Amino acid sequence: MFEDTHIYDYGAENAYVELAANVFSLLSDPTRLRIILTLKEGEQPVGMIAEKLGRKPTIISQHLAKMRWGKLVRTRQEGTRIFYSLSDEHVSALVDQAIFQSEHIVDAEPAHHATVPKGQGQEGPGRTTRYDEELLQEERVRHD
């Protein structure tokens, strides 16, 4: 996908604010967040998503329809099966950031702030590790 390379400073009167509120509204349901986390693994049909989440396919389909309307997911048809995937990297990033913020609410030292020496970390969804030696050094200096 396209990776953003610029930081934009949108003003409070930006025309996209209303649409952004709609995106947050669509993401305000725990099942939809779990669907997004499941789709981070890659494209999947409704039945597989429902099985992973322990929900009925009809319920998952209803959520996916709303998410498709909001352009959070896209579809690809293969025969009679419809496969769902995330629309772009921003959908995943929004959920990651929301979960990171939630960790701050609960934990004094959130897991995503963990400092792990090079080669000892576990990469993957839900786990952020710092490998950059300069960052490790900065952390040591702050704690001394």
Side-chain angles (χ1 to χ4, degrees), residues 23-30 32-33:
V23 169
F24 283 121
S25 177
L26 284 168
L27 294 175
S28 68
D29 185 284
R32 292 188 199 133
L33 293 175

Side-chain angles (χ1 to χ4, degrees), residues 62-97:
Q62 290 172 358
H63 285 291
L64 285 165
K66 289 177 182 177
M67 294 167 71
R68 186 177 179 192
W69 172 83
K71 301 197 186 299
L72 298 177
V73 298
R74 61 178 170 218
T75 60
R76 177 183 66 83
Q77 188 164 352
E78 189 175 293
T80 58
R81 293 180 82 184
I82 298 176
F83 292 84
Y84 289 84
S85 61
L86 298 177
S87 293
D88 55 54
E89 70 277 6
H90 300 291
V91 177
S92 177
L94 278 169
V95 173
D96 286 346
Q97 292 301 318

Side-chain angles (χ1 to χ4, degrees), residues 16-125:
Y16 292 104
V17 169
E18 298 296 324
L19 290 172
N22 288 336
V23 169
F24 283 121
S25 177
L26 284 168
L27 294 175
S28 68
D29 185 284
T31 299
R32 292 188 199 133
L33 293 175
R34 287 184 173 99
I35 289 170
I36 290 170
L37 292 170
T38 301
L39 289 175
K40 285 175 72 169
E41 299 170 8
E43 181 182 74
Q44 299 172 48
V46 174
M48 185 180 290
I49 298 168
E51 184 179 318
K52 287 180 178 180
L53 298 180
R55 302 279 182 3
K56 293 180 181 180
T58 54
I59 299 295
I60 297 301
S61 290
Q62 290 172 358
H63 285 291
L64 285 165
K66 289 177 182 177
M67 294 167 71
R68 186 177 179 192
W69 172 83
K71 301 197 186 299
L72 298 177
V73 298
R74 61 178 170 218
T75 60
R76 177 183 66 83
Q77 188 164 352
E78 189 175 293
T80 58
R81 293 180 82 184
I82 298 176
F83 292 84
Y84 289 84
S85 61
L86 298 177
S87 293
D88 55 54
E89 70 277 6
H90 300 291
V91 177
S92 177
L94 278 169
V95 173
D96 286 346
Q97 292 301 318
I99 290 173
F100 292 162
Q101 186 59 37
S102 299
E103 288 179 356
H104 280 274
I105 294 168
V106 175
D107 301 323
E109 186 167 331
H112 68 274
H113 283 279
T115 303
V116 180
K118 190 178 276 190
Q120 294 181 13
Q122 178 184 1
E123 294 180 317

